[in-house]
Amino acid sequence: MSTAPALDPAHTALLVMDYQPAILASLPEGGDCEALLGRVEGAIADVRANGGTIAYVRVGFTEADWDAIPATNKSFAPVAQHRVMHQEDPAAAIHDRLAPQDGDIMVRKIRYGGMSTTDLDQQLRERGITTLVVSGISTSGVVLSTVIDAADRDYQLYVLSDGVADPDTEVHNVLLHQVFPSRAHIIDTAELRTLLRAG
């Protein structure tokens, strides 16, 4: 039985982060991408059905964004150098199965975190959102950065253990079991459904 507190859908947003074809392609061959997409698709449907908010975060660059990345940025300098993940590239779009609907929050970022280069925090607060349920790829990238940032901003946090994935299974497990629990409740998509109904 989950020890996580029930969710109040009116004040809850599900973050769907970096579920883009180019990023899904980074996951290990053995990992079941279709099953992962199916679980997140179900979580989106559950949150919608209970009146919660869906917030999409995707990474995508303009020419100006690439030009502004300094050579000293270890993670993003190669992105700029090779001109990858242009915001209009279909590989940088949200995966078709998880397509946004009218009224959803949608932000485009140019670094790891969902909040640091977007107005996501402002949009959430304007809607009275105080609780975030986090899904995303990868666990060591957008999920880690966003969980740490959102915790510092005093959001109540839940991480969907079966809605996050990482190219490195070992790193994924360490974050999920040893790092995130100090900042977030770790639940799966089945528990999410239960906690939404209990709210």
Side-chain angles (χ1 to χ4, degrees):
M1 207 36 219
S2 175
T3 56
L7 289 159
D8 175 359
H11 299 289
T12 299
L14 171 63
L15 301 187
V16 181
M17 304 189 294
D18 296 8
Y19 268 92
Q20 299 160 262
I23 295 172
L24 280 158
S26 73
L27 295 175
E29 285 295 320
D32 193 341
C33 259
E34 289 305 310
L36 177 65
L37 285 164
R39 289 191 297 271
V40 176
E41 194 175 17
I44 291 170
D46 288 337
V47 172
R48 281 197 204 289
N50 285 279
T53 298
I54 311 296
Y56 291 89
V57 175
R58 73 180 188 106
V59 62
F61 298 87
T62 62
E63 293 284 338
D65 293 331
W66 282 327
D67 292 342
I69 296 172
T72 50
N73 187 318
K74 193 170 179 184
S75 297
F76 288 92
V79 171
Q81 187 184 345
H82 299 292
R83 297 301 209 235
V84 290
M85 295 298 286
H86 189 275
Q87 64 160 350
E88 288 170 12
D89 183 337
I94 298 292
H95 193 282
D96 292 344
R97 284 185 64 180
L98 311 180
Q101 294 180 9
D102 289 344
D104 293 341
I105 293 173
M106 181 84 187
V107 297
R108 178 180 69 86
K109 68 187 176 89
I110 52 172
R111 293 296 186 271
Y112 281 120
M115 294 180 178
S116 64
T117 59
T118 72
D119 66 348
L120 177 61
D121 183 44
Q122 181 188 333
Q123 289 199 53
L124 292 167
R125 292 190 192 283
E126 282 169 1
R127 295 188 189 208
I129 302 297
T130 54
T131 299
L132 302 178
V133 179
V134 180
S135 68
I137 308 165
S138 64
T139 318
S140 62
V142 67
V143 178
L144 174 63
S145 291
T146 306
V147 164
I148 288 173
D149 193 355
D152 283 353
R153 296 171 194 247
D154 298 329
Y155 284 96
Q156 181 175 34
L157 292 170
Y158 296 72
V159 173
L160 281 182
S161 59
D162 57 351
V164 297
D166 195 273
D168 186 325
T169 311
E170 193 175 339
V171 168
H172 168 83
N173 287 333
V174 167
L175 289 168
L176 212 50
H177 301 296
Q178 296 178 37
V179 178
F180 294 160
S182 65
R183 294 175 174 87
H185 301 284
I186 312 300
I187 61 170
D188 62 20
T189 46
E191 283 176 276
L192 171 64
R193 191 170 304 127
T194 306
L195 292 171
L196 285 164
R197 291 194 184 128

